[in-house]
């Protein structure tokens, strides 16, 4: 007899563990997958969906004494995200005890080495193994079903040892995606007709594939749930994030990874990662499973902090990624001759052959076992080393320390060569790299002003405190300890008010802190000396404090003050209604949350306006764009609630402000998307919903139909929405062509179509000339050229027809500083310089006969790079990054930097928001439908 209890959700790091606990059962009582699902997972032409997976997890939890089930939160679509904890019954009975050991060792606070050794001897290795992050990578979810069953039922000595030594957290990263993708694949009754094709929408509600770029930001519900378990509840020493597909002609990519690695994290992470990766390869080869590759077999590096497996490095955990072939539809491993010669990065080549899903699941089982076995055999060492890395971070944050970056090396290389004999000690001509005086190490590499900070102070007088709170919450979601000042204090001769925030680096997650505050200095990575740049795996510059426009001071010496720890996620400090005037209120244009208030007023039928003359509010300097809200009882209720909730101040006025105003009105926004889903459009949906902008999705067929002013005031084309020919100065659209209508369900056919120069562009041009506004972001600023906006691409050759060679100009996802004219409505609320995200984007020069072009943002110096990597950045000098262009009765807003990048670049959101509201304000009244 067994019984089942409902799982209780965990929603805070300090919550007690709660489980769906069952009476112990023998292995024979555990239901096999083949007896539960409609077909055995791993069968050709079959995928289990999340509904069935969830039911199976509950069945297992009710039957096995080796597993307990935890609700870790809700998904973006409202499903429960489950995590199965697997270990021996004795360990499961003491989970809280072992979790506390893992926490104490990972935080490394107040422990001596001897105490840490004692805890490591008692503790259990914690291993995170997930599945399904990218839902179209179906091997991982289907494989997890088999892995769970086998770990719960096998009784061999190795399995018992693994269960005794480890606690394994089997999580599912994207329940919504598993349900959607599985059901999409299974839609055809005839198994032989089942295929994926192109999915009609993103497999994660907002981010699709970019749900694996959200880790340091943790905006998505699923990411926040995952991060809470990894960095605030369980502190695993190993984080295994499973993916597909493998390199062509191989079966699976397994670490080690290629360079570069990030300079902030502890090198122990890298050496342990290489060990574990090698153990995984070895186990595959021992079992005769050929076709694993490493390093040069794929492009994966360990630089970027945004991925599930890479964010772990900044938290002293071993982060793994594997990429395996396979799927429910049988496939073939092709014959690629270059993969058939054994080498260090591909020790056992695989022969070309037919390939079935169960074969991939067998490999997945071996890889999971290898990881758990490594954790078992190295249990004490893993536990102690996560302490050692945390203690190293605390020590480095407590004393003078330096991070050597490519800029440091370049400064040393620029020094004169060491004067020494032309021959070595054996009389041979001296060769090899340049040598410099070792004394320069102290004066250049360890220059006092180049020290790493002991901490960062974020003063309470931030220009946009709610955004600063969002930044601090991103740190807290990643387990960083934040403090708040209870009284004013002074550091380094500067006084800070009470309510200021402090982030000290003397804590275990110091690498993550530095990576969020300090500029990334990516190596000058070339295919060969003098050759073209080697493309990074992802972006190279992403400093979150820069992206969010947070103001902070770097403190180089030790400091303290009246600081209290922040216990959990923060809410913005309540704002206030300031003054007694009865005519209305003014609010600052400097806060992003001010747009939420504006949208609530517009929704209620209240018409705020922007003042075009500079106005000073409170202690902030005078600037244009203050929002005027005429008094009414409805407005008073909205303003009073919003100031408290959103952390913004409203300044009551005795009379209506003098001077010109831009009257706002409700704006009908059309956000362009396409069949299959455009990731940049998905992130923009998240932003629009978060800041309460109403919108409707618009697909190519609707654009092509014309008469767009009937339904829209503003159209938004995000990065990638406008295709471009290969070799042009514009980013090339890599989306798959849409499927034939007859191959997809009828409800998805309106999403079909492609944007074309022949049909779509004329319709969009007519929309603008008829009084509409277009906001074009990133690569979609190609519209400026297509609709005749008198702006020419500056980063091009052959009269704008061809892209620059990458050896001449190459900026792959970096942060640049742009000069801003904040007297222009498009830039209201911005400072005079702002950091913008630039990823192989374009900049512009006005045509000789240009009219109606308002230059809003441009690059005013030869070195605009703030964080990342840039080749030929001097070519940007004087070129236009942001512009407003008058066309007929309407406007085109050209936002070449990706101002909404992955919903991270809060510092530039105002450019997007201003374009939406200003574009609508300038439009004439809506044209009534006939």
């Amino acid at each position: 007899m067994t019984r089942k209890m409902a799982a209780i959700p965990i929603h805070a790091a300090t919550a007690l563990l709660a489980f769906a606990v069952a009476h112990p059962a023998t292995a024979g009582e555990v239901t096999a997958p083949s007896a539960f699902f409609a077909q055995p997972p791993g069968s050709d032409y079959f995928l289990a969906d999340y509904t069935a997976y969830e039911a199976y997890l509950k069945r297992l939890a009710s039957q096995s004494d080796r597993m307990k089930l935890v609700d870790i939160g809700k998904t973006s679509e409202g499903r429960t995200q489950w995590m199965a904890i697997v270990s021996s019954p004795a360990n499961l009975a003491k989970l809280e005890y072992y979790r506390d050991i893992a926490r104490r060792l990972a935080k490394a606070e107040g422990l001596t080495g001897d105490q840490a050794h004692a805890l490591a001897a008692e503790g259990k290795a914690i291993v995170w193994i997930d599945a399904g992050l990218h839902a179209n990578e179906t091997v991982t979810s289907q494989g997890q079903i088999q892995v769970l069953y086998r770990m719960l039922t096998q009784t061999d000595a190795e399995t018992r040892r693994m269960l005794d030594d480890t606690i394994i957290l089997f999580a599912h990263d994207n329940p919504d995606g598993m349900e959607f993708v599985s059901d999409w694949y299974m839609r055809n009754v005839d198994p032989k007709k089942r295929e994926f094709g192109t999915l009609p929408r993103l497999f994660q509600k907002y981010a699709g594939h970019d749900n694996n770029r959200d880790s340091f930001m943790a905006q998505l519900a699923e990411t926040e749930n995952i991060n809470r378990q990894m960095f605030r509840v369980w502190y695993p020493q190993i984080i295994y994030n499973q993916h597909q597909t493998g390199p062509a002609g191989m079966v699976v990519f397994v670490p080690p990874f290629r360079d570069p690695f990030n300079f902030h994290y502890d090198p122990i992470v890298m050496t342990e990662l290489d060990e574990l990766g090698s153990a995984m390869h070895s186990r595959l080869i021992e079992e005769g499973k050929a076709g694993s590759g490493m390093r040069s077999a794929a492009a994966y590096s360990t630089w970027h902090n945004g991925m599930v497996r890479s964010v772990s490095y900044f938290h002293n955990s071993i982060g793994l990624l594997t990429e395996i072939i396979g799927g429910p539809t049988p496939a073939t491993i092709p014959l690629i001759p270059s993969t058939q010669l054994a080498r260090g990065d591909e020790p056992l080549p695989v022969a070309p052959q037919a390939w079935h899903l169960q074969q991939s699941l067998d490999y997945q089982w071996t890889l999971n076992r290898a990881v758990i076995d490594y954790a078992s055999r190295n249990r004490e060492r893993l536990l102690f080393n996560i302490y050692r890395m945390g203690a190293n971070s605390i020590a480095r944050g407590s004393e003078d320390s330096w991070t050597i970056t490519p800029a440091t090396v370049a400064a040393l290389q620029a020094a004169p060569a060491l004067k020494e004999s032309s021959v070595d000690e054996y009389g041979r001509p001296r060769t090899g790299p340049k040598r410099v005086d070792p004394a320069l190490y102290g004066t250049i590499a360890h220059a006092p002003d180049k020290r790493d900070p002991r901490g960062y102070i974020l003063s309470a007088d931030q220009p946009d405190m709610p955004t600063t709170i969002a930044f601090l919450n991103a740190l807290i979601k990643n387990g960083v300890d934040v403090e708040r000042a209870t009284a004013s204090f002074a550091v380094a001769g500067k006084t800070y008010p009470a309510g200021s925030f402090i982030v000290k680096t003397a804590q275990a997650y110091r690498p993550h802190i530095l990576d969020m505050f300090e500029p990334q200095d990516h190596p000058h990575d070339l295919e060969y000396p003098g050759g073209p740049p080697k493309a990074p795996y992802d972006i190279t510059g992403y400093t979150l404090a820069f992206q969010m426009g947070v103001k902070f001071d770097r403190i180089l010496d030790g400091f303290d003050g009246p600081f209290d720890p922040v216990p959990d996620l923060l809410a913005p400090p309540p704002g206030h209604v300031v003054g007694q005037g009865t005519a209305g209120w003014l609010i600052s244009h400097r806060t992003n949350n001010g747009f939420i208030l504006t949208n609530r007023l517009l929704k209620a039928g209240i018409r705020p306006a922007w003042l075009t003359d500079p106005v000073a509010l409170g202690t902030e300097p005078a600037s244009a764009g203050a929002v005027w809200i005429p008094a009414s009882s409805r407005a008073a209720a909205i303003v009073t609630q919003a100031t408290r909730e959103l952390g913004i101040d409203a300044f009551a006025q005795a009379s209506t402000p003098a001077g010109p105003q831009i009257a706002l009105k409700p704006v009908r926004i059309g956000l362009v998307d396409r069949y299959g889903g455009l990731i940049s459009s998905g992130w923009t949906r998240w932003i629009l919903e978060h800041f309460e902008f109403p919108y409707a999705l618009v697909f190519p067929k609707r654009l092509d139909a014309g008469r767009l002013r009937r339904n829209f005031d503003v159209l938004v084309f995000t990065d990638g929405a406008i295709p471009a020919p290969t070799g042009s100065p514009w980013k090339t659209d890599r989306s798959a062509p849409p499927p034939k209508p007859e191959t997809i369900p009828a409800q998805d056919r309106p999403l079909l179509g492609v944007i074309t120069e022949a049909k779509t562009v004329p319709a969009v041009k007519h929309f603008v000339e008829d009084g509409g506004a277009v906001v074009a972001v990133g690569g979609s600023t190609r519209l400026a050229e297509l609709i005749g906006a008198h702006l020419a691409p500056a980063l091009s050759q052959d009269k704008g027809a061809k892209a620059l060679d990458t050896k001449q100009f190459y900026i792959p996802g970096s942060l640049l500083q742009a000069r801003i004219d904040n007297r222009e409505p498009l830039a209201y609320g911005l400072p005079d310089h702002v950091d913008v995200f630039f990823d192989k984007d374009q900049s512009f020069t006005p045509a000789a006969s240009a009219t109606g072009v308002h230059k809003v943002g441009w690059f005013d110096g030869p070195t605009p790079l703030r964080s990342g990597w840039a080749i030929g950045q001097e070519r940007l000098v004087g070129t236009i990054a942001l512009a407003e262009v008058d066309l007929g009765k309407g406007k085109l807003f050209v936002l070449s930097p990706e101002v909404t990048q992955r919903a991270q670049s809060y510092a530039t959101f105002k450019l997007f928001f201003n374009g939406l509201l200003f574009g609508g304000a300038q439009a004439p009244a809506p044209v009534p439908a006939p």
Side-chain angles (χ1 to χ4, degrees), residues 469-636:
I469 295 298
F471 168 76
L472 291 166
N473 281 340
L475 298 181
I476 293 168
K477 290 175 187 178
N478 270 278
V480 170
D481 295 327
V482 175
E483 297 175 289
R484 178 165 38 197
T486 58
S488 64
F489 64 99
V491 173
K494 180 176 177 179
T495 299
Y496 297 90
S500 297
F501 292 95
I502 299 91
V503 183
K504 291 185 178 180
T505 58
Q507 52 181 295
Y509 293 163
R510 174 180 181 269
H512 186 80
I513 296 168
L514 294 177
D515 207 47
M516 295 295 97
F517 279 98
E518 299 294 308
Q520 281 80 45
D521 183 8
H522 191 278
H524 188 58
D525 193 17
L526 304 180
E527 294 286 355
Y528 51 85
K534 183 185 294 185
Y537 177 56
D538 199 75
I539 63 176
T540 63
Y542 48 85
T543 308
L544 190 57
F546 294 178
Q547 287 199 76
M548 297 187 76
V550 171
K551 303 303 178 187
F552 61 90
D553 289 327
R554 303 170 74 249
I555 308 301
L556 300 185
D557 295 310
F559 68 101
D560 214 334
F563 308 149
D564 280 351
V566 172
D568 209 332
L569 296 180
L570 294 155
H576 305 89
V577 175
V578 180
Q580 302 297 321
T582 59
W585 305 267
L586 286 173
I587 66 168
S588 171
H589 212 112
R590 300 173 78 188
T591 65
N592 287 333
N593 276 6
F595 289 93
I596 300 178
L597 172 54
T598 296
N599 287 325
R600 291 178 182 177
L601 293 167
L602 290 170
K603 184 178 180 180
I606 299 161
R607 300 294 179 90
W610 293 346
L611 306 185
T612 62
D613 291 339
V615 174
L617 298 176
T619 59
E620 73 176 45
S623 60
V627 184
W628 166 243
I629 305 165
S632 71
S633 58
R634 283 185 301 163

Side-chain angles (χ1 to χ4, degrees), residues 367-379:
L367 293 166
N368 276 240
R369 293 282 282 192
V371 171
I372 301 168
D373 181 53
Y374 177 89
S376 170
R377 294 178 184 276
N378 293 275
R379 177 184 61 83

Side-chain angles (χ1 to χ4, degrees), residues 102-319:
R103 179 193 62 80
R104 292 178 65 191
L105 289 170
K107 299 293 282 185
E109 295 168 345
L111 292 179
T112 65
D114 288 344
Q115 291 169 328
H117 273 300
L119 287 172
E122 288 185 62
K124 305 298 178 182
I126 313 297
V127 181
W128 168 282
I129 301 180
D130 62 23
L133 182 69
H134 291 157
N136 59 345
E137 300 171 2
T138 54
V139 169
T140 64
S141 293
Q142 305 302 304
Q144 190 178 76
I145 294 168
Q146 291 191 8
V147 170
L148 278 168
Y149 174 71
R150 295 172 78 167
M151 288 299 296
L152 298 182
T153 57
Q154 290 190 177
T155 57
D156 58 280
E158 183 181 56
T159 299
R160 292 198 304 271
R161 170 173 57 78
M162 291 176 177
L163 294 170
D164 286 342
D165 290 340
T166 69
I167 295 169
I168 312 145
L169 312 176
F170 287 103
H172 200 287
D173 293 340
N174 186 8
D176 301 340
M178 182 180 179
E179 186 81 357
F180 167 52
V181 170
S182 297
D183 291 352
W184 174 260
Y185 179 80
M186 297 292 289
R187 71 190 185 280
N188 285 317
V189 175
D190 184 349
K192 296 297 178 68
K193 292 183 179 179
R194 290 173 184 163
E195 45 76 35
F196 289 111
T198 302
L199 300 169
R201 63 172 176 84
L202 300 175
F203 55 69
Q204 196 284 337
K205 182 177 180 180
Y206 298 107
H209 191 277
D210 263 6
N211 64 352
N212 199 29
R213 301 296 184 274
D214 185 48
S215 288
F216 66 70
M217 193 73 193
Q219 304 260 54
L220 304 175
E222 297 87 347
T223 316
E224 183 174 351
N225 296 338
I226 292 165
N227 281 12
R228 184 189 307 114
Q229 296 303 313
M230 293 196 304
F231 307 131
R232 303 181 71 198
V233 176
W234 274 105
Y235 308 92
Q237 297 88 50
I238 297 174
I239 293 171
Y240 182 12
N241 181 225
Q242 303 180 101
H243 289 266
Q244 69 183 92
T245 187
M250 304 182 195
V251 175
V252 63
F253 175 89
V254 180
F257 299 101
R258 74 172 176 95
D259 284 335
F261 66 71
N262 195 291
F263 310 116
H264 288 312
Y265 47 71
D266 198 297
I268 295 176
V269 165
M270 286 294 98
T271 55
E272 287 186 334
L273 170 61
D274 288 358
E275 287 176 21
L276 179 47
S278 296
M280 296 164 77
H281 284 281
S282 292
R283 187 160 185 137
L284 286 171
I285 293 169
E286 289 164 11
E287 296 180 8
K289 293 183 170 75
S292 64
M294 65 191 89
R295 296 190 186 92
S296 64
Y300 310 112
S301 67
T302 59
W303 179 263
H304 184 239
N305 195 335
M307 293 165 274
V308 172
R309 57 95 184 176
S310 61
V311 73
S312 61
Y313 310 139
F314 300 87
H315 293 77
N316 304 322
S317 296
I318 304 171

Side-chain angles (χ1 to χ4, degrees), residues 77-88:
E77 296 180 11
R79 291 181 176 84
T80 300
Q81 194 168 0
W82 295 103
M83 181 175 74
I85 305 177
V86 174
S87 191
S88 69

